[in-house]
Structures are given as structure tokens and as C-alpha cells.
Amino acid sequence: MKQTNPWLAIWVAPRQTMKDTLKSDIHKQATLILSIIFGGLTGFWFSRSETLLLASTGNFFPLIVTILIGAFTGPILYYGFSFAFGHVGGWYGGNGNIKATRKVFVYALFMPGIFVGLLNLILFGLALLTLQAQTPILRTIVSFGSVMIDLTVVWVFGIFLIAYSEAQKIGMMKALLVIIAMIGCLAGLYIVVDLLAHLLIG
């Protein structure tokens, strides 16, 4: 089977995409860049509402600080959380393969996450235009876009679940238990990012 572009294939065939990528190596520098971009976009996504309101008035400094701090969480996810997910997977009967789990983070989290993060960035820009223009069309686009992003995030979770199950060679339910056990840690990480950014900007 000819391998397709993983940026696209991971959305429609996550299990087969992981099977293909597990047979190949990944570029370390490219992976680091992807993790930083993902972290920055996620930091933007979890920004405080007042930070976004300041940005809407032209004061982008707090938002930039939040994004820069968030960018550091990407490598933490790649090196730290993939290590943890790999080991915990072994406790649930998986193979404990950390290298394979790192590929899950790259292909099933960073790649689709960057896509969703860019869509969220575009939606934020449209929301700013809505504040200025107040047109029904823009408001409808923003509302529809918000719903679509929420649905897409749910599927990204599904992609990660399927990919992690394939990488660790465990059932979907066991993979789900591991992810639920670890997702609180991930949420906590971005809460720390938000608090740290809030402290730095006063």
C-alpha cells in the first residue's frame, strides 16, 4: 500500500497511518518544531478571556507571553508525556514502546492539533472582525466555526485513542483508561502555563 500524506491520512485512517509510520523513523528537528508550534497554539487556545479581550483592543503583549510559554509545553509533551504514556501502557498490558508512543504524539496529536489550532486562530481573527463589523454573516460564521472546532477536537481525541491503541498493541478500552488517567495531568500542565503567564504579565 502506497503511503499517503500523514497530515491528511491521520484524519480518515488513523490506525493504518500509525501502522505505516511505526515502520519508519521521524526527523528529530522537525518533531521538535512541530511540538513547539503545537504548544504555542494550545497556549493561545487556553488563554484567559481577559488576555483575549486585551488582544481585541490592540494589546497583544499578554497573549504573546502566553503563547511563548505555551510553546515550551510542546517539547514537554513529546519527551515527558510520551515517556509516561509509554510506561503506563506497559502496565495495562501494552508493549511499553516509548519510541512508538512518541510517534503517536507527533502524528496523532501534534499534526491534527496544529491544524485545529490554526483554525482556532483564524476563528479568533474573524471574532475580532465581528466586534468591529457586527454583521450577521460574520456572527454566523464564527458560531458555526466554534461548533465545528469543538466537533473536530472530539475526533482528535478519537484519533489519539486509536493511534495509541495501535502503537501499544492494546485494546481500545485499555487505551481509553490510560488516556483518561493521564489527561488530568495534561490539563494541569496548561493551567500552570496560564497561571505562569498571568503572573509574568501582572
Side-chain angles (χ1 to χ4, degrees):
M1 178 179 178
K2 184 178 179 180
Q3 187 172 355
T4 56
N5 187 333
W7 287 90
L8 300 176
I10 194 66
W11 289 96
V12 295
R15 189 172 295 279
Q16 183 60 49
T17 303
M18 280 310 304
K19 287 180 179 179
D20 293 338
T21 56
L22 288 172
K23 300 174 184 176
S24 60
D25 293 327
I26 53 177
H27 195 284
K28 292 183 179 179
Q29 290 181 339
T31 296
L32 182 61
I33 293 172
L34 287 176
S35 69
I36 291 172
I37 294 173
F38 173 83
L41 289 172
T42 307
F44 168 79
W45 199 331
F46 283 91
S47 299
R48 288 171 178 262
S49 56
E50 57 261 37
T51 301
L52 297 176
L53 286 173
L54 286 172
S56 68
T57 63
N59 183 6
F60 288 93
F61 178 72
L63 184 59
I64 292 173
V65 171
T66 302
I67 292 173
L68 289 176
I69 295 175
F72 287 101
T73 65
I76 292 174
L77 284 173
Y78 178 68
Y79 291 105
F81 276 69
S82 61
F83 179 84
F85 267 75
H87 274 289
V88 173
W91 299 346
Y92 283 79
N95 55 31
N97 190 327
I98 297 172
K99 184 177 180 180
T101 306
R102 283 178 176 167
K103 291 182 179 181
V104 173
F105 274 80
V106 174
Y107 291 97
L109 182 62
F110 295 160
M111 285 184 173
I114 287 172
F115 176 77
V116 177
L118 290 174
L119 287 181
N120 186 60
L121 192 61
I122 293 172
L123 191 65
F124 175 69
L126 290 175
L128 291 183
L129 288 177
T130 303
L131 292 176
Q132 302 295 328
Q134 292 292 332
T135 62
I137 294 177
L138 279 177
R139 286 198 297 269
T140 301
I141 292 174
V142 171
S143 299
F144 178 76
S146 298
V147 173
M148 292 305 298
I149 286 179
D150 289 340
L151 293 175
T152 305
V153 169
V154 173
W155 180 228
V156 171
F157 178 84
I159 289 172
F160 188 86
L161 174 63
I162 294 169
Y164 179 68
S165 170
E166 178 62 33
Q168 285 290 310
K169 303 301 180 185
I170 56 178
M172 294 284 285
M173 289 305 300
K174 287 185 178 180
L176 180 61
L177 289 174
V178 175
I179 293 174
I180 290 175
M182 300 295 291
I183 203 166
C185 297
L186 180 59
L189 177 63
Y190 283 101
I191 289 174
V192 171
V193 169
D194 179 69
L195 291 174
L196 182 58
H198 189 66
L199 289 173
L200 288 177
I201 62 181

